[in-house]
Amino acid sequence: MNYQEAKERKKESLRNADESVLNLFHVVITPANTDESAKYIEDFLQSPESFTDESCKEYCSDGNYEVVSFKKEKEE
């Protein structure tokens, strides 16, 4: 899907998510390309607060995106 479609899908996912899910998982837009997505998530986890939805565009070479969720790291 293109970026705008991914943004709408993320908005819908967040609207439908239970509060506990929002507290336990990151919901982000990533490149659909597996290698680009892996690099984006790796960098995202280093400093989640410095990333916005738009950040994924820097990692995407073909304009195809997806919305993924993954467990938040436990803060120590």
Side-chain angles (χ1 to χ4, degrees):
M1 73 187 88
N2 68 34
Y3 176 76
Q4 199 57 45
E5 291 168 328
K7 195 167 176 157
E8 287 301 313
R9 170 107 20 110
K10 178 183 175 183
K11 192 187 308 181
E12 183 180 325
S13 296
L14 292 173
R15 190 171 47 242
N16 294 330
D18 183 88
E19 188 174 329
S20 63
V21 170
L22 297 176
N23 290 332
L24 295 174
F25 291 87
H26 294 289
V27 178
V28 298
I29 300 170
T30 68
N33 175 290
T34 305
D35 292 335
E36 293 171 351
S37 179
K39 176 65 175 148
Y40 176 78
I41 291 170
E42 179 183 321
D43 291 352
F44 175 89
L45 287 172
Q46 299 300 314
S47 181
E49 63 282 345
S50 66
F51 280 76
T52 67
D53 286 344
E54 296 265 333
S55 299
C56 65
K57 291 180 176 181
E58 298 170 31
Y59 293 78
C60 189
S61 62
D62 62 6
N64 291 311
Y65 299 91
E66 62 187 5
V67 177
V68 299
S69 61
F70 50 91
K71 198 162 180 63
K72 291 182 178 179
E73 303 273 323
K74 292 238 188 287
E75 293 183 18
E76 297 184 32

